[in-house]
Amino acid sequence: MRLEIHTVGVVGCGTMGSGICEVCARGGFDVVFAEASPEAVAAGHERISRSVERAVARGKLDRGGADAVLARIRSTTELEGLAGCDVVFEAVPEHLDIKKSVFSRLDGILERDAILATNTSSLPVIDMAVATQRPDRVLGFHFFNPAQVMPLVELVYTVATEQSVIDSARVFAQRLGKTPVPCRDRAGFIANLLLFPYLNSAVRMLDQGFASREDIDAAMQLGAGHPMGPLALLDLIGLDSAYEICEALWRQFRDTQDAPPALLKQYVVAGYLGRKTGRGFYRYEAPESPKTVDAVPDFTGVATSDVRRVGVVGASPLALAIAETVAASGAEVLLHAPGEELRSGAEGVTATDDVAALAEVDLALEAVAGGSDRVHEVFRELDRSIKPDAILATTTSFEPVVDLAAATDRPDRVVGLHFLHPAARTKVVEVVHTVATSPEVEKRATAWVRSLGRRPVRCRDRAGFVVNFLLFPYLNDAIRMHEQGYSTPADIDTAMKLGCGHPVGPFELMDEIGLDVTLDVLDLLHDEFRERRYAPAPLLEHMVRAGYLGRRTGRGFYDHT
């Protein structure tokens, strides 16, 4: 039987606890929070009041509504003060022993049909449930920070949780204006289980000197549409909290990709915990300030370039989009594709079927469709045809740039320029240097990218570069999550959009990219790094064999007919 919830209890009134109090009071519920001391109670009320006043200042609440919210919230310094609550949330520090102790004490205080809920973001809910005599009425109710704003709630049920409790929690979440996503009890649930291996990879990428923190963050923000880059996001989450979540994932799954990276541990030990301490991967103006003081500024769109004539080789949509983008910057563009009839209506683009016409270009850019053999053939032909001091570039997203450089007599003048899809709109280009690329060529290529109004992301030559290296293992993890029956594509997509602010969910994105392309990139990553996480999920391989490639074939993880 579904429980009617009228009064809500919250244990702990820190950042998350105060947010839960506020969102429940805004939903029309009476709220009682418990804190350890009168001073902590006063700080909790002050934290809630500040948040409510900000909502008034921003027009989210009127004065009468704000006063009503605050009037619904009471406090106590004793857990016994929560005795009449229908549901109690614990929002104490992320340590299992503390949470189990709270649940054990509440079990003896609350009515038998009251629900006990944990806001843990990573710890096993069952471990808290068995600390009570009512494991059937215990579940995870994971609000995202800030609870007042974030629309997602993960409803985490254990093997003991009654269906009526899940139903009651779902209705309650909806009354708060939240979107509930049910999931089984497993470390990280949905969002964090997909998010943190990705964040860990970004930290390791920085630690290995593969790319700068600004370039890593810009790549994922501008190239993948994420609201924040991974390192800035870790600073916002709190590096200590991130460390504890990674530890919880490692304890459950024993996968090295889940374990906290050494660099993350060093920051935590040093007390550099992110925005809340004023220093994490970035330095901030003050504790709790979002304003960085040491980030290297981006000069996109203001750089001048000595590249005046550009040759683009290929008849693919990518080649045409790049040619028109370059022409719009004021450069002269020669578009060449052997054996293809090319027409471009863009002013400044001249189509030619003679590679000799590219002899005097300052930069020749390969953007051909086809396999590795075709790309190598084009590179060798361009090497013979263009002037000795010209830059030779590839737009490949998967071919090792050094392999192409080795096919020429000018390996020091070869660079990767990866325009992410869609090239006409995406504001980032990965500038990939090999061990042979001269610093002067890399600087010229970087300046040219800036002259297009694009943000260059400098990185070493390694499979996946930055964006695909971070993005595709995350997509693979999502498939495995679905494959194991943990959740549905629709719920996983909802969790990542509403919980992490991603513009599209992983399954929506794969249907758009193409499941065959996803498989190819994962095969490439696995071939280079030989790690389990990069091995394509069997479900992905089976769907590709069946011809379910995504939107362009009418069926992928979703039906597009």
Side-chain angles (χ1 to χ4, degrees), residues 83-354:
C85 295
D86 302 305
V87 59
V88 175
F89 294 96
E90 70 75 17
V92 300
E94 196 78 344
H95 297 289
L96 184 58
D97 288 346
I98 298 175
K99 292 179 184 290
K100 288 173 67 175
S101 174
V102 167
F103 269 49
S104 179
R105 288 187 59 197
L106 287 171
D107 187 40
I109 294 170
L110 302 178
E111 296 292 334
R112 175 62 185 89
D113 62 348
I115 295 173
L116 277 167
T118 172
N119 187 56
T120 183
S121 58
S122 61
L123 297 174
V125 178
I126 191 65
D127 286 352
M128 288 167 254
V130 297
T132 75
Q133 299 300 311
R134 63 179 87 197
D136 55 321
R137 304 200 66 75
V138 175
L139 83 165
F141 202 101
H142 180 213
F143 288 92
F144 286 72
N145 188 28
Q148 309 93 313
V149 175
M150 298 298 286
L152 178 71
V153 167
E154 290 177 318
L155 296 183
V156 187
Y157 56 91
T158 75
V159 293
T161 310
E162 282 186 0
Q163 184 61 47
S164 64
V165 171
I166 301 170
D167 294 340
S168 297
R170 180 184 290 109
V171 171
F172 177 69
Q174 291 167 341
R175 285 187 62 186
L176 298 181
K178 304 298 185 184
T179 298
V181 171
C183 53
R184 297 207 312 265
D185 182 24
R186 190 166 72 171
F189 314 138
I190 294 177
N192 284 346
L193 185 53
L194 293 180
L195 180 66
F196 274 85
Y198 151 75
L199 297 178
N200 275 354
S201 291
V203 175
R204 293 189 181 98
M205 183 177 280
L206 176 68
D207 195 20
Q208 294 163 3
F210 181 72
S212 71
R213 61 186 179 180
E214 290 86 357
D215 281 346
I216 293 169
D217 279 352
M220 300 312 294
Q221 189 171 13
L222 300 177
H226 293 182
M228 300 180 71
L231 301 173
L233 178 57
L234 281 164
D235 276 0
L236 177 63
I237 292 169
L239 272 57
D240 51 344
S241 298
Y243 184 87
E244 291 298 331
I245 292 171
C246 293
E247 276 287 304
L249 294 176
W250 160 250
R251 284 193 298 270
Q252 178 146 13
F253 301 110
R254 303 298 179 181
D255 190 311
T256 56
Q257 295 296 308
D258 295 321
L263 182 61
L264 179 62
K265 182 176 182 179
Q266 291 168 18
Y267 274 87
V268 172
V269 171
Y272 303 151
L273 306 183
R275 284 192 191 183
K276 61 188 176 186
T277 60
R279 181 173 177 182
F281 289 106
Y282 295 89
R283 291 177 183 263
Y284 297 87
E285 197 171 52
E288 306 292 348
S289 171
K291 186 176 180 181
T292 59
V293 295
D294 67 339
V296 177
D298 173 31
F299 297 105
T300 298
V302 300
T304 58
S305 171
D306 61 356
V307 174
R308 297 287 180 261
R309 302 186 82 201
V310 177
V312 178
V313 180
S316 65
L318 174 64
L320 296 173
I322 292 174
E324 293 179 2
T325 298
V326 175
S329 73
E332 179 185 351
V333 181
L334 295 169
L335 183 60
H336 169 65
E340 300 282 351
E341 184 177 352
L342 286 175
R343 282 177 174 73
S344 173
E347 185 176 345
V349 177
T350 302
T352 177
D353 60 1
D354 183 5

Side-chain angles (χ1 to χ4, degrees), residues 449-462:
V449 169
R450 287 196 177 109
S451 75
L452 301 179
R454 299 300 195 268
R455 169 64 157 86
V457 168
R458 298 173 56 250
C459 60
R460 298 204 311 262
D461 182 25
R462 188 172 73 175

Side-chain angles (χ1 to χ4, degrees), residues 258 380 513:
D258 295 321
R380 285 189 290 268
I513 292 170

